[in-house]
Amino acid sequence: MSNMQINEIVIVGGGTSGWMTAAALSNQFEHLLKKQSISITLIESDDIGTVGVGEATLPHLRFFNQKLGIDEREFMSATKATYKLGIEFCHWAQLGDCYMHAFGEYGKRHQNIEFHQWWLRAKDLMLAKDITQYSMAAIAAKNNKFQHPKPDQNSMLSRFNYAYHIDAGLYAKFLRDYSHQRGVVRIEGKISQVKQAGDSGFIQSLCLDSGQIIDGDLFIDCSGFKGLLISESLKVKYHDWSHYLPCDSAQAVPSERPDTLITYTRASARSAGWQWRIPLQHRTGNGYVYCSSFCEDQHAQDELLMHLDGNPIREPIQLRFITGKRDKFWDKNVVSIGLSGGFMEPLESTSIYLIQEAIGNLIDLFPDADFSAELQNEFNRLMDEEFYHIRDFLIAHYHVNNRDDSDFWRYVRNMQIPDTLAHKLSVFETQGHIVNYGQGEFLAPSWLAVLIGQKLKIKHYHPSVDVLDTTELTNMMENIENDIYINAAAMKNHEDSLMSFLANKSSKEYELYSRLRASKSLYGTTEK
Amino acid sequence: MKKVVILGQSSEAVLYAIAIKVRLSCEVILIKDINQPEPHRYIETLLPDTLRILNQLGLKEQQWLPEVDGVYCTAIEVTTADAYNVMLPFSPIGTNINGLDFHSVAFNTLNKINGKEFEAFSLGAQMSRKGKFVHPVNDDNSVLSSFDYGVNVDNIKFAHFLNAYAKYLNIEIIHADTLSFDWAFCENASENQVKTLRCNTSSKDVLEVHNIDFLIDSAESSYTLRADAQLDNIFENDISPSIQRQVSMSVEVNSPRLFSPQCLSLEVGQLFIRASSKTLCLQLFLQDGVSLIDGETALRKFASSYPYLPLINDEIAKGKVNTVISSKQPLKSLPWQANVIKASNLYELCPVLQGSIALHLENVMSFIDLAPNTSAHSSLRNEYNRQFVVRHNEYNSFAELVIHLMSKKQAAKLKSEKASRVLKLYQNTGRYMSEANQVVDNTYWLNILLVLAGSPNNYNKMLAIPSETRDILERIKNIISVTCEQLPETNVYMKHLLNQ
C-alpha cells in the first residue's frame, strides 16, 4: 500500500480559480497544514491581470461557501454581492421578446406528472398564462423581491433557489485572506521556467523571475487561458468548439449602478452575440460577447456602450477566447482548474460552477504521490461530462431562435449541432419530454425555461394529463399562480432585503435553512 | 393514444396493461394465448424501488402481500466460489461521519476491513443474517430508518394477483390466438403501422380488433419477434450467452425457514435460492458452454448435498420436485418500431439483484414517460430505444461485475467498460464516485464493492478523521447489534401483520 502522501501543492495563478482552489484545499487539509505535513503555495503576480469582470454565479456557490464555513453576510459584504434569482434573456427568441431562466421549479408535480405537462394542456385550452407565472423565483425576480427560501417542503417558498452577483476580484481577495489564515503561502512572482523530469515528464519545480525555485508534488494550473503548465509545458491539446459556439471575443466595462437593484442577470441578445448586465452593490458589470467574424471590435464596443444603464466607469477591456476544453484536465501531476482547462462563455454563469466542480472532484479523487491513473481518468471523465452537458445547453440558446435580423443569428440557427442536442430538441418538440443523459448541469427546469423561452414549439402534451377536466385544470393553474403571487407579494424589496441582511437582521427561517443545508455533504464526499 | 392492445400473459404484459390504464386512461385490451402453458414457478425478489413503483400504480403492498406468499427481505446473501459468504444489503452500509464517506472513514480507522466486517455496520444486513424484520420508520435520527426492504413473491401467484387487479381496472382480457396483423400507411408518421389484429378466440370465432393506436407484443409465441432471430445483438457489452439457459427447481413446503435470497457461484453458473412463505426455489443460470443436462445434474447434486436445505432433500426423496428447463434468446432489434413494442424474450441478465419484474417495470415506466399522444412519434421512439439500451447495458455491467467478483477469477478481463472502470478505481484507490440517474442504484454498486472486492490497495489517507472515530464506529456497531436483537423474527412479524 502506498504511503507516499503528497506534501507540496503548488497553485499557479491567483484570480478566482486559484484562490477558490487554495481556500478549498486549505479547508480540506487544515489538519495537515497545522501539523506542517503538507504545504500549499500559490504563485501569482500583480503584474498579470485576471479576467474577473464581475461575476454572476449559480446556487452551488452557496454550498461551496458553507462547506468552507464562510458566513454569508461576511461574504456578501466583502464581495459587494447582490442576490440572484435567475437570468433574464432578452431578444433571444426574437427581437423584443424576454423570458426568465429562474432558479427553481415550475409549479408542482401533480399525480406524479411534471407540472409543465399540465401547463401544456392548459395552454392548449387557453387556460394557462405564460409559464413564468408559475415559477416562484421568476415572479419574485420580476417584481424585484427577495427572501431566503424556506425549508418547509409544502411551501412555495421552498421551491426556489438563489445565487449571487459578485465582484470576482473581491471574492478572490476574500478567499486569499481565508487561505492565508489557514496556512497557504502566497508568493509574488512570474514563472520564468518550468522544470520537468526527463523520463516521466512530471513537473518537478518552477523557477521564478527572482531566481526562486518552487518545488512541488502536485501542481494546479490556474493560470487562465494561457495554460502555463497544462498547455505550454505538458502540451495537452485543446478541443476547439467554436464551430458550435462561434463567439470568440468580448468587451467588458463597469458602469455606475442604477437606482434599482435587480435580482437577476440580464443577457440581451445583440446583432452578433449578447450583452450581460450584472448588478452589484456598488456598480454594474457589463460586457458584450460576440463573434468577430460577424462584428468588428469597434462596432461591438459601440453597441455595448450604447446599451449601458449607467455611465461607464472606465474604458472597455477586450478579451479573446476559443470555446472548448482540454483533452485532459488532469495530466501527469498537473490539474487544470478554471480557464486553463477550458472555456465556455458566461451565458449561464457556469465559470465559477466549473471551477467548483473541478475542486470538488479533485478533493474526492485526491492522489498520492504515485498519481494513480484511475484517479486521473475518473477526474477527466467527470469534467468531460460537465463540459459536454453545459456546451449543449449553451448551444441551444443560440440555435433555437427565430431572429432574421442579422447574419449571425441566421448562421447559428442553421449551423450543425451535436447529435446529443439534436435528439434532445427533437424529443422535447414532440411532447415536452426532457432527455436526461446523466449527471451534470443543467437539470430539467433549466432546459424547460430556455426551450420554452426560446419559443421551441411543443407539438403535443403527454397523454396522461387528459385525466383532469377543464374545471379541475383551471383550478389547479389558478391555485398555483395565486400561491406564488401571495408569497411574492409578502417578500421584501430586493435592496431592503439585502441591506437588512447585511445589517445583521437575519430571519429565523434563514438560520434554520442554513443549518439544514450545511448539514448536507457538499464535496469531499461521493454524495453530490 | 386511445386504444392499446397488449399480447401476452407474462407479468410484464399485465404490468404494461395496468400502467397504461392507470396512468394514461386509454382503452386497453389484453390478449392472452389460449394454449400457452402457465410459466414455471419461481420466486421473485421485488426490490425496494420496484415496490415504490408498484405503489404508484395503486398496487399497495398490504393488498397483494398475503396473496403472493410474500416474505420480506433486507439483503441478498452472496456466496463466492471460494465459499466466502456475505450479505449485500439494499441500503447504504454505515453512515457519513463528519460529511465523509463511511467507507473512507472505515478504511482510515480500521485499516483493513473486509466485507464481513462491513456487514456489522448495516442493520439491513444484520436483519437478514438473523432472520429479523420490521418496517423502517420515517425518522432520520433513528437507526430503524437506515434500511430498506424488498419482498420475495411467488411469481405465478403474483401474476394471478396482477390479473385480478387488471380486471378490477376494467381492462378487457381476451383469450385468443393471434392470427395476423394488418399494417396500414400512416400519413402523419410517414410509415406503416399496425392498425388491425385478427385472432382466434377459444370458441374458434375470428375476432378483429380495429383502430389500434399501439401494440405491445409480449407474447412468448409472438411472431413479430421471430423475425429478429438472425440479427446481431444490439447490446454493447453483452455478457450473456446467445441463448440463455436456466434450470430451476421449486418445492412446495409447509413452513420453510424464512431466509434471505441467496446467490451462489457454482462451477456451472450462478445459483439463486429464494423462498416465499410456501415455496423454495432454486434457479441455476448456466454459463456459456454448459449443457442443460450438466446443469440439471449439478442442480440436483447441489440440492441433495446442501446442508441448509433439509426440506428440499426430504422432498426430493418424496419425488415432489419439479425441474424446469427453459431457454430464452435475447432481443436482437431495438424494441420499439413503428407503433409496436416487442416486450418479450428479454432474458434475465443473470438477476443477481433483481428478478425479471424489476427490469420489466423499468421498461414499462419508460414507456409511460414517453407514451405518444400522436402517431408521429419517431423521436419518442428513439428515446425509448436509447434508454432501453442504456438500461440493459448497465444491468449487464452490474451483473458482470458481480459474477466476476463472485467467481474469484480476478485475472479475467471485464468486457464492460463501466464495470472495469468502477472496479479498478475502487481496488486501486478505495473510491467510488456516485453517478446521477443510475439505473442500478449507486448503493448497490458501492455495496457490492465493499462486501466482495476486498480491501483496496490504497485509499484516501488525507482525510480529517476525528480522533474519537474508532469509538463512534464501535457505537454504531453496538446500536445496530442491540437493535437487531430486539427486533421480531421475520415469520413472527409477518404472522402478526397478516392477522391484522
Side-chain angles (χ1 to χ4, degrees):
Chain A
M1 186 176 294
S2 165
N3 282 315
M4 298 185 299
Q5 180 195 293
I6 280 183
N7 297 317
E8 294 173 324
I9 301 170
V10 179
I11 300 168
V12 175
T16 318
S17 59
W19 286 113
M20 280 181 77
T21 307
L25 293 181
S26 65
N27 173 264
Q28 180 72 17
F29 300 133
E30 197 171 359
H31 59 299
L32 300 175
L33 285 163
K34 276 182 187 158
K35 287 192 288 186
Q36 296 189 330
S37 65
I38 196 170
S39 71
I40 303 175
T41 306
L42 185 145
I43 304 166
E44 68 174 341
S45 167
D46 286 339
D47 295 343
I48 301 173
T50 58
V51 172
V53 284
E55 200 83 55
T57 65
L58 293 177
H60 307 71
L61 184 63
R62 288 173 29 228
F63 311 138
F64 180 83
N65 286 346
Q66 283 171 8
K67 174 71 186 172
L68 265 55
I70 291 171
D71 176 71
E72 186 181 37
R73 198 173 285 107
E74 221 177 288
F75 155 77
M76 291 190 77
S77 190
T79 59
K80 303 285 185 198
T82 63
Y83 294 115
K84 175 184 172 187
L85 289 168
I87 304 172
E88 184 184 47
F89 289 90
C90 295
H91 317 301
W92 283 80
Q94 56 204 41
L95 279 171
D97 178 74
C98 275
Y99 69 90
M100 183 75 76
H101 168 200
F103 298 142
E105 297 165 61
Y106 288 100
K108 280 181 184 170
R109 279 176 86 89
H110 183 65
Q111 296 185 359
N112 222 15
I113 299 163
E114 293 143 325
F115 170 80
H116 74 274
Q117 292 293 347
W118 300 104
W119 174 80
L120 284 170
R121 179 167 168 243
K123 196 164 151 283
D124 260 17
L125 297 168
M126 315 280 274
L127 300 173
K129 296 182 179 165
D130 185 288
I131 197 161
T132 306
Q133 299 300 318
Y134 307 96
S135 159
M136 187 70 244
I139 293 302
K142 278 186 163 290
N143 290 289
N144 239 358
K145 300 289 191 96
F146 183 80
Q147 82 164 62
H148 287 97
K150 282 188 171 177
D152 174 10
Q153 299 268 308
N154 295 319
S155 167
M156 267 295 170
L157 293 173
S158 71
R159 308 184 76 79
F160 72 98
N161 216 333
Y162 73 97
Y164 312 103
H165 301 110
I166 60 169
D167 182 322
L170 293 177
Y171 186 44
K173 278 185 192 151
F174 179 76
L175 293 178
R176 188 170 73 183
D177 293 343
Y178 176 99
S179 308
H180 275 169
Q181 286 163 21
R182 283 157 184 78
V184 174
V185 175
R186 175 186 180 273
I187 295 178
E188 164 71 31
K190 282 187 190 167
I191 294 162
S192 57
Q193 202 186 337
V194 178
K195 189 178 170 203
Q196 290 175 257
D199 50 348
S200 66
F202 274 51
I203 293 186
Q204 291 176 320
S205 60
L206 307 175
C207 181
L208 305 187
D209 267 357
S210 61
Q212 188 180 355
I213 305 285
I214 312 290
D215 293 323
D217 300 320
L218 170 67
F219 292 84
I220 301 174
D221 188 345
C222 298
S223 64
F225 289 126
K226 196 174 180 185
L228 188 70
L229 306 183
I230 196 81
S231 175
E232 293 186 2
S233 298
L234 298 188
K235 313 284 184 213
V236 174
K237 73 174 182 190
Y238 192 81
H239 295 282
D240 180 344
W241 285 344
S242 49
H243 52 295
Y244 290 138
L245 290 163
C247 288
D248 56 2
S249 305
Q251 304 217 19
V253 66
S255 63
E256 291 168 0
R257 60 156 282 189
D259 291 340
T260 307
L261 207 52
I262 56 172
T263 46
Y264 51 89
T265 308
R266 181 174 287 152
S268 305
R270 301 281 177 238
S271 60
W274 62 280
Q275 180 174 339
W276 75 74
R277 192 182 75 157
I278 298 173
L280 300 175
Q281 289 174 32
H282 59 312
R283 62 170 169 81
T284 301
N286 307 277
Y288 183 13
V289 174
Y290 58 97
C291 177
S292 61
S293 310
F294 290 88
C295 182
E296 301 282 339
D297 293 339
Q298 188 55 51
H299 180 81
Q301 191 178 108
D302 295 344
E303 209 173 346
L304 168 68
L305 294 173
M306 190 168 65
H307 289 102
L308 298 184
D309 285 346
N311 294 324
I313 293 171
R314 59 167 163 74
E315 286 296 303
I317 55 165
Q318 171 88 53
L319 300 165
R320 298 275 185 222
F321 51 81
I322 300 168
T323 299
K325 68 160 200 78
R326 293 274 161 220
D327 188 44
K328 291 176 185 174
F329 295 86
W330 179 346
D331 187 37
K332 305 188 193 308
N333 61 340
V334 174
V335 178
S336 55
I337 293 182
L339 300 176
S340 59
F343 175 80
M344 279 188 285
E345 58 188 80
L347 182 57
E348 282 286 353
S349 317
T350 47
S351 308
I352 288 185
Y353 167 77
L354 284 167
I355 293 170
Q356 196 181 324
E357 280 302 294
I359 293 169
N361 288 332
L362 176 61
I363 287 173
D364 281 343
L365 298 166
F366 202 83
D368 278 347
D370 61 358
F371 287 93
S372 145
E374 283 77 24
L375 295 173
Q376 293 184 39
N377 294 342
E378 187 67 2
F379 182 91
N380 291 330
R381 187 184 71 80
L382 292 170
M383 292 309 298
D384 273 352
E385 277 203 37
E386 288 288 353
F387 268 75
Y388 283 120
H389 286 140
I390 292 171
R391 178 198 68 180
D392 280 8
F393 191 51
L394 297 186
I395 297 169
H397 292 67
Y398 286 104
H399 182 68
V400 184
N401 82 77
N402 299 309
R403 289 183 57 150
D404 204 24
D405 57 297
S406 79
D407 289 343
F408 173 77
W409 290 101
R410 279 188 289 274
Y411 170 78
V412 289
R413 183 167 63 247
N414 295 316
M415 71 184 176
Q416 199 178 359
I417 58 171
D419 290 346
T420 43
L421 176 60
H423 174 63
K424 195 159 189 156
L425 295 180
S426 159
V427 174
F428 186 78
E429 244 181 322
T430 307
Q431 207 160 278
H433 180 86
I434 295 167
V435 172
N436 200 337
Y437 284 120
Q439 65 189 48
E441 289 290 280
F442 282 81
L443 302 179
S446 296
W447 280 93
L448 199 60
V450 170
L451 296 184
I452 289 177
Q454 295 284 146
K455 305 271 186 286
L456 186 64
K457 193 165 164 34
I458 302 168
K459 292 174 190 152
H460 304 274
Y461 53 80
H462 192 274
S464 61
V465 296
D466 275 324
V467 292
L468 291 190
D469 64 30
T470 52
T471 313
E472 290 170 317
L473 193 59
T474 307
N475 288 342
M476 178 184 166
M477 290 292 146
E478 284 180 359
N479 288 343
I480 291 172
E481 191 189 351
N482 288 340
D483 198 1
I484 288 173
Y485 176 81
I486 291 166
N487 278 299
M491 287 182 181
K492 277 187 187 169
N493 164 285
H494 177 210
E495 187 142 12
D496 292 346
S497 184
L498 176 65
M499 291 309 146
S500 67
F501 180 66
L502 294 179
N504 204 9
K505 292 178 192 163
S506 66
S507 65
K508 279 186 181 164
E509 285 85 2
Y510 174 69
E511 297 290 344
L512 176 62
Y513 182 76
S514 289
R515 278 208 300 279
L516 276 173
R517 297 312 305 225
S519 67
K520 308 246 184 259
S521 306
L522 301 170
Y523 68 70
T525 77
T526 54
E527 281 193 0
K528 287 193 176 157
Chain B
M1 207 164 65
K2 291 189 170 60
K3 188 187 279 184
V4 179
V5 171
I6 298 166
L7 306 178
Q9 54 200 348
S10 63
S11 294
E12 183 180 20
V14 188
L15 280 167
Y16 258 112
I18 290 170
I20 291 169
K21 187 74 184 174
V22 169
R23 296 292 299 274
L24 307 178
S25 307
C26 45
E27 184 186 353
V28 180
I29 302 170
L30 181 58
I31 298 179
K32 299 184 163 197
D33 284 355
I34 299 170
N35 296 318
Q36 187 68 28
E38 196 158 66
H40 65 273
R41 165 161 276 131
Y42 58 89
I43 306 303
E44 173 105 34
T45 302
L46 305 181
L47 291 170
D49 281 345
T50 308
L51 298 183
R52 284 188 269 275
I53 298 175
L54 291 174
N55 195 40
Q56 280 173 22
L57 294 176
L59 291 153
K60 309 283 179 205
E61 181 187 315
Q62 59 270 32
Q63 290 171 339
W64 52 259
L65 192 75
E67 309 285 329
V68 299
D69 300 344
V71 174
Y72 290 115
C73 56
T74 53
I76 293 173
E77 189 175 346
V78 179
T79 306
T80 64
D82 58 0
Y84 184 70
N85 174 278
V86 70
M87 287 286 178
L88 174 68
F90 298 151
S91 47
I93 293 172
T95 180
N96 282 6
I97 295 176
N98 279 9
L100 302 172
D101 292 334
F102 178 79
H103 63 276
S104 299
V105 173
F107 293 145
N108 273 280
T109 312
L110 307 172
N111 197 5
K112 290 267 179 191
I113 172 166
N114 62 30
K116 213 65 170 181
E117 287 164 304
F118 269 120
E119 242 189 73
F121 296 99
S122 161
L123 182 57
Q126 292 301 307
M127 285 163 71
S128 252
R129 184 68 77 191
K130 294 187 173 146
K132 304 285 189 90
F133 188 78
V134 286
H135 277 91
V137 298
N138 190 16
D139 172 6
D140 285 352
N141 295 320
S142 167
V143 69
L144 289 175
S145 70
S146 70
F147 66 95
D148 214 342
Y149 68 95
V151 182
N152 291 330
V153 300
D154 180 309
N155 71 317
I156 292 177
K157 291 184 179 176
F158 188 67
H160 286 163
F161 179 82
L162 292 177
N163 272 310
Y165 188 66
K167 281 182 190 158
Y168 166 78
L169 293 173
N170 289 325
I171 291 168
E172 191 179 351
I173 300 175
I174 299 170
H175 292 268
D177 289 330
T178 307
L179 294 173
S180 62
F181 302 105
D182 283 351
W183 295 70
F185 186 73
C186 172
E187 278 191 18
N188 198 15
S190 303
E191 65 183 9
N192 282 326
Q193 297 192 343
V194 169
K195 284 291 152 198
T196 304
L197 166 71
R198 216 164 282 107
C199 50
N200 243 349
T201 64
S202 44
S203 54
K204 303 291 174 198
D205 299 328
V206 174
L207 174 79
E208 289 193 344
V209 183
H210 298 283
N211 301 321
I212 296 172
D213 290 312
F214 213 92
L215 178 77
I216 292 170
D217 185 353
S218 189
E220 292 285 331
S221 59
S222 161
Y223 66 72
T224 63
L225 290 161
R226 285 180 215 148
D228 293 340
Q230 302 306 315
L231 299 174
D232 289 335
N233 208 315
I234 57 172
F235 302 111
E236 287 167 10
N237 54 322
D238 184 36
I239 56 157
S240 299
S242 52
I243 295 178
Q244 185 187 35
R245 285 164 295 209
Q246 58 166 296
V247 188
S248 65
M249 199 184 260
S250 62
V251 189
E252 287 191 27
V253 288
N254 287 330
S255 56
R257 173 181 159 240
L258 298 180
F259 55 78
S260 302
Q262 290 189 53
C263 177
L264 298 92
S265 185
L266 303 184
E267 276 292 307
V268 290
Q270 274 68 43
L271 175 68
F272 296 86
I273 307 172
R274 293 188 175 103
S276 72
S277 61
K278 292 186 180 150
T279 307
L280 279 168
C281 176
L282 287 81
Q283 254 181 306
L284 178 59
F285 287 78
L286 301 179
Q287 279 172 23
D288 217 358
V290 176
S291 73
L292 288 166
I293 293 169
D294 288 347
E296 187 178 353
T297 307
L299 184 64
R300 287 192 167 274
K301 189 177 161 198
F302 176 86
S304 62
S305 63
Y306 194 53
Y308 303 108
L309 296 175
L311 286 166
I312 282 193
N313 294 333
D314 290 348
E315 294 299 325
I316 286 171
K318 291 177 201 164
K320 286 186 180 175
V321 175
N322 300 314
T323 305
V324 180
I325 295 168
S326 66
S327 59
K328 286 188 174 186
Q329 286 191 27
L331 190 68
K332 288 185 174 175
S333 66
L334 291 169
W336 180 345
Q337 296 186 17
N339 61 338
V340 180
I341 282 186
K342 300 165 187 181
S344 185
N345 279 21
L346 297 175
Y347 52 64
E348 294 171 36
L349 300 168
C350 184
V352 178
L353 272 177
Q354 75 288 336
S356 52
I357 287 179
L359 188 55
H360 293 335
L361 206 48
E362 295 273 0
N363 293 332
V364 171
M365 296 317 285
S366 170
F367 176 71
I368 295 297
D369 268 356
L370 297 161
N373 217 348
T374 166
S375 52
H377 44 53
S378 61
S379 63
L380 298 173
R381 179 194 313 168
N382 292 342
E383 175 59 8
Y384 177 90
N385 289 335
R386 185 191 73 82
Q387 287 184 13
F388 181 90
V389 172
V390 167
R391 187 178 307 123
H392 282 252
N393 281 336
E394 190 175 328
Y395 271 115
N396 262 338
S397 299
F398 186 77
E400 189 189 13
L401 176 65
V402 179
I403 292 168
H404 178 82
L405 292 172
M406 285 180 69
S407 63
K408 294 283 172 184
K409 290 174 184 164
Q410 305 297 351
K413 194 169 165 14
L414 287 158
K415 286 185 199 169
S416 150
E417 181 277 329
K418 176 161 184 182
S420 172
R421 164 166 58 79
V422 166
L423 181 61
K424 275 188 197 163
L425 181 67
Y426 177 80
Q427 285 182 327
N428 292 332
T429 75
R431 321 289 165 96
Y432 172 77
M433 296 296 279
S434 289
E435 290 181 35
N437 307 307
Q438 294 267 97
V439 183
V440 176
D441 194 273
N442 283 305
T443 299
Y444 297 127
W445 280 100
L446 176 59
N447 283 1
I448 201 73
L449 294 169
L450 295 183
V451 301
L452 282 185
S455 289
N457 302 326
N458 203 353
Y459 52 83
N460 187 353
K461 293 191 272 306
M462 294 175 75
L463 301 174
I465 307 289
S467 55
E468 67 277 14
T469 302
R470 192 173 281 273
D471 292 341
I472 294 172
L473 294 181
E474 269 312 303
R475 278 211 299 279
I476 293 173
K477 219 161 37 169
N478 283 340
I479 290 169
I480 286 172
S481 166
V482 169
T483 307
C484 191
E485 283 305 318
Q486 291 168 350
L487 298 180
E489 302 277 340
T490 307
N491 49 2
V492 172
Y493 182 81
M494 293 209 62
K495 263 184 202 157
H496 178 69
L497 196 74
L498 296 177
N499 286 338
Q500 281 182 334

